[in-house]
Structure formats: structure tokens, C-alpha cells
Amino acid sequence: MTSTAPANAPDWAARFSDRMARVRASEIRELLKLLDQPDILSFAGGIPDPDLFPIERIEACFGEVLSDPAQARQALQYSVSEGYLPLRQWIAERMTRDGMPCEPRNIMMTAGSQQGLDLLGKLLLSVGDTVMTARPTYLGALQAFNGYQPEYMDLPEGALTGEADAVLAARRPAVGYFVPDFANPTGASLTLEERQALLDLAGRLDMTLIEDAAYRELRFAGEPLPTLLALDIARAGSIEAARTLYCGTFSKTLSPALRIGWITGPAVVIEKLVLLKQGADLHVSTINQMVAERVVSEGYDQHLGRLRAAYAAKRETLLAALDRHMPAGVTWTPPEGGMFVWLTLPEGMDGKVLLERALTEERVAFVPGAPFFAEVASDNCIRLSYSLPNDADLEEGVRRLGRLIGRGQESARASATTVFS
Ligand code: PMP
């Protein structure tokens, strides 16, 4: 929605900085704001299921912190920009067990991993630098980086097999941004070979890697794979020699409202990030960090077990419904974790046009795929999130969507055109 200003208002557009040229509301986010109507079955919201928030435990931990006067005074006070030390210690130990030996000095807490992406953009990107991303990639990362005026480059075909080195050498990406586990929007993960090849490529190009691990803890199928940072540390000998900067978050496992994420990387990088964090907002909420540390210090793995089982069950329901209701020509790949399934529609069918018709004709919503592409977009894809709907709505929503896509295919055949383009 664009606001209108009175005639005597200053011409703000002319006063905004150059960097605002790329900072725009996403059409899709604007459209999705209209989806609150109760009769719409929505696969759009890529957010955690609130039924899975550990509400009682969070309530108890707030109570414990606030009922102890010494802790309460600390919890409600300003604190260091690096973040609450006991929480950073807990994260360092957990990451060390996950193959990423590191210490608290390698970790800075951020207001969600989204702020981590913004601060990394600020730290690493000069105007015109090239960021390489998967195709498609996380829209929020593009929004975070846009303010630093980079160019984007899709990971080229053959990049991981060394066949695109000439293209890559010409464009010299400074930064590569990847979500190796259960990516948003595709739900797809990089294989071990792809992770190794990505590190080889980063080495050949002398490129910094940003690893976004937002969904890593939500694996419910297949074997866990080492993170890019773990493989990087194994090659380089220590985190201090690694080129990968890792963004973690408690948003998908505890609660996004706590706004607690972190960046893990070499101490020299963390020291600079701390200066940027100071300038941005001083520190993450002290009380939220203290509460989060208490929450995760007991029973976190059992809690994760419950989350994984719940999302696995929802995924099963969605996949079974897709098998039952999607017409031929629609394809998808089952994710091994996370919250998303990516549908490729028949060639020529436009996800955005499909959404408009889905809303009016079938009262069903999802996110069209095109905005998730950094460089060259594909229109015939959509993102389905299965985190929020219950089983009955997953089934019914897919039935309606399949019916609509089928109608589009039929009328396209009848008129020898594409209906949803
Ligand atoms: N990365 C990815 C891939 C995401 O999907 C999200 C949330 N949608 C984030 C980062 C940001 O999450 P938060 O700031 O809550 O940690």
C-alpha cells in the first residue's frame, strides 16, 4: 500500500538516500496482508506453528528471572553488544558438538537471524559488489542486502562441477549466500557433495560464504549433514581461518517474538560486527536472552523432538494430498525438514495469476515463486508452507488448488493458450 501525502508535504522521495532506490515493499507481502479473512485456507504464512511454542516453560523462566531481585535488575538493564555470555557459551558448546568447534568470542547475538543478514550486508558489501545466491533464494535476505546496493548473480548451472568458472571469474562474486538445510522457499537441502563443491568454489573465487541455518534443527527425515561452516573448519583447521559466517536463530524452535539469533565466525569478524550492532540497536533484549538461556538449558532436545514429529506429520499429510489431487504436469520434491514444499507448475502457468484466481475462486492462498529469484525469475512456481494448517485444511486446501490448476490446464488446452500467464 502506498500512502498519499498532502500537497504541502515535503517531497520525501527526492530526499531519500540513493540506497533506497532498491528498497521497496514486496508486492507479494502486500497482497498477503489481505489474507486474514477466516474462510481462506492459507499455505502462505512461512511461520512456526504457535501450538508448538513452549509457552509454559517460557512463562516459568520469565517468572524465575523476574522473581529473583539480582537477576531482575540485570535482566531489565542495558547489556553488552556481544550478547549474554551464558547463552553464547551454550550456543558455542552446541555448535561444537555439531562439528563447528568455536568459543563465545566467535558468537554475537542478533535480533533474529534477519538482523544478522543485515549486519553482514553492512559489513561485507560495497556498492556494486556481487552476491551469489541459490536460484531461488530467501526473499528476506535479498531485502536485507538490497540496502547495500549489491548486484545479484544466480548460482550458475555447472558452478559446482567447475564448468562455469569462466562466467564466475568474470563476475567475481564477493559473497555467496546459501540456506543449505531445508531452504526457504524450496524446502531443498544441499547434498554433502554440493556442500563440498560450494566450498571448493568459494576457495577458487576467494568468496565469503554466508550460511543461513534458520531451519537446521528441524530435520525429520534423512541423515544430518555437516554445515558449510563445519566442513570449512575441517579444511581450514580452525574457525579463525574459516571463510564461512553462520547465522543461527531460535525463531523456528522457541519463538520468533523473542527475536534471538546469532552470527558465528572468526573473532576478527565478530569484533567488527559488535561495533555495527552497537550502532544499530546496542544489544538484543537482555531479559529475552536470559530467559532463552534458561529455556534451552533443560529439555531442549525433547522439545525439538516434539517439533520435528509435528512438522513431519504435517508434511506427510501435505505430500499425500499432493499425490492425490495435483494434476499431471505439477512437480515437487519432498523436503527432509523445515516448513516448505516448492511446486513447479506446468510450463506457462504464472504463480501470481494463479494466486489471484485461487483467492477469488477457491479461497486458498500460497506465495508465488517469482519474488524469490535474485537475478532471473521463473514464473511457474509457488511456495506452500505446511506449518500452520491442520490436517483437514491441508487436505482441503490442496484439493482446491489441484482443482484450480486442472481447470487452468483444461481451458488452456481448449483455447491453445496459457490461461494463468
Ligand atoms: N532466514 C531464513 C531462511 C528465514 O526463512 C527466516 C525467517 N523467515 C529468517 C532467516 C529470519 O528469521 P529470524 O530473524 O526470525 O531469525
Side-chain angles (χ1 to χ4, degrees):
M1 215 167 55
T2 325
S3 311
T4 46
N8 62 342
D11 179 1
W12 285 109
R15 294 165 196 228
F16 293 150
S17 68
D18 292 347
R19 77 180 68 85
M20 292 308 290
R22 295 270 287 281
V23 180
R24 278 192 215 113
S26 130
E27 234 182 290
I28 302 297
R29 290 219 166 151
E30 293 301 309
L31 188 59
L32 295 177
K33 281 187 199 155
L34 310 173
L35 298 187
D36 287 344
Q37 296 111 324
D39 66 323
I40 289 199
L41 296 182
S42 178
F43 297 103
I47 58 180
D49 181 352
D51 287 345
L52 300 171
F53 293 152
I55 296 175
E56 280 167 23
R57 179 118 181 92
I58 291 177
E59 183 191 10
C61 292
F62 266 104
E64 282 165 26
V65 168
L66 288 174
S67 60
D68 171 343
Q71 285 210 43
R73 277 202 293 274
Q74 183 187 356
L76 297 174
Q77 189 55 280
Y78 286 116
S79 56
V80 294
S81 300
E82 287 83 347
Y84 181 54
L85 184 59
L87 183 57
R88 288 158 60 223
Q89 267 158 346
W90 184 90
I91 293 169
E93 279 163 26
R94 193 169 178 91
M95 289 189 68
T96 300
R97 282 201 302 279
D98 194 16
M100 296 167 277
C102 62
E103 295 173 26
R105 71 196 185 108
N106 299 115
I107 294 169
M108 182 185 80
M109 303 310 298
T110 56
S113 51
Q114 189 65 31
Q115 186 185 43
L117 297 174
D118 178 54
L119 295 179
L120 287 173
K122 202 174 214 172
L123 181 78
L124 300 171
L125 297 174
S126 300
V127 177
D129 276 354
T130 297
V131 179
M132 185 161 78
T133 68
R135 187 174 182 275
T137 190
Y138 170 49
L139 175 60
L142 303 178
Q143 289 179 319
F145 300 149
N146 277 346
Y148 306 104
Q149 299 169 278
E151 304 291 328
Y152 291 106
M153 161 176 202
D154 296 329
L155 181 73
E157 288 286 319
L160 298 183
T161 49
E163 288 152 51
D165 277 14
V167 186
L168 289 162
R171 296 195 55 187
R172 293 217 65 78
V175 171
Y177 164 79
F178 293 92
V179 189
D181 293 303
F182 332 121
N184 182 359
T186 59
S189 301
L190 295 176
T191 63
L192 180 59
E193 294 69 32
E194 286 168 338
R195 291 168 200 235
Q196 294 284 17
L198 193 52
L199 281 166
D200 291 343
L201 178 68
R204 289 201 297 282
L205 297 170
D206 196 18
M207 176 173 76
T208 304
L209 286 175
I210 297 177
E211 173 167 35
D212 182 337
Y215 300 92
R216 177 160 178 82
E217 299 276 25
L218 296 185
R219 175 179 287 281
F220 44 66
E223 285 303 305
L225 292 172
T227 62
L228 292 174
L229 179 58
L231 297 171
D232 194 356
I233 293 174
R235 291 172 177 212
S238 101
I239 190 166
E240 303 305 340
R243 63 170 68 251
T244 306
L245 306 172
Y246 175 105
C247 294
T249 180
F250 288 122
S251 288
K252 318 297 176 184
T253 56
L254 293 184
S255 148
L258 292 173
R259 304 311 299 137
I260 301 187
W262 65 93
I263 301 174
T264 306
V268 282
V269 176
I270 297 297
E271 282 160 22
K272 282 287 183 207
L273 283 166
V274 168
L275 301 178
L276 293 178
K277 176 75 182 160
Q278 258 162 22
D281 59 357
L282 300 179
H283 61 80
V284 176
S285 154
T286 319
I287 190 167
N288 288 3
Q289 293 186 80
M290 289 176 73
V291 166
E293 193 271 331
R294 277 183 171 261
V295 171
V296 295
S297 65
E298 227 183 272
Y300 187 54
D301 284 313
Q302 288 92 308
H303 169 66
L304 289 182
R306 280 193 296 276
L307 289 190
R308 291 180 186 130
Y311 287 126
K314 281 173 183 271
R315 177 198 81 148
E316 283 317 304
T317 307
L318 179 74
L319 292 177
L322 288 169
D323 280 337
R324 251 195 307 280
H325 300 300
M326 278 301 142
V330 181
T331 58
W332 60 92
T333 312
E336 294 190 328
M339 306 176 174
F340 305 110
V341 173
W342 183 249
L343 250 60
T344 304
L345 305 169
E347 199 62 47
M349 193 175 277
D350 184 326
K352 193 165 157 257
V353 180
L354 186 68
L355 174 62
E356 282 159 18
R357 295 197 48 177
L359 289 173
T360 50
E361 294 175 29
E362 295 287 358
R363 308 300 281 160
V364 62
F366 51 82
V367 181
F372 293 97
F373 292 85
E375 196 185 10
V376 180
S378 293
D379 293 323
N380 65 325
C381 34
I382 62 175
R383 187 192 76 178
L384 300 185
S385 169
Y386 49 84
S387 57
L388 292 181
N390 60 30
D391 280 358
D393 288 351
L394 285 168
E395 166 73 21
E396 174 60 14
V398 170
R399 196 178 69 82
R400 292 184 194 181
L401 193 55
R403 186 165 68 189
L404 177 66
I405 295 172
R407 274 207 304 278
Q409 282 175 311
E410 263 167 41
S411 44
R413 269 194 295 275
S415 63
T417 65
T418 48
V419 171
F420 297 151
S421 58

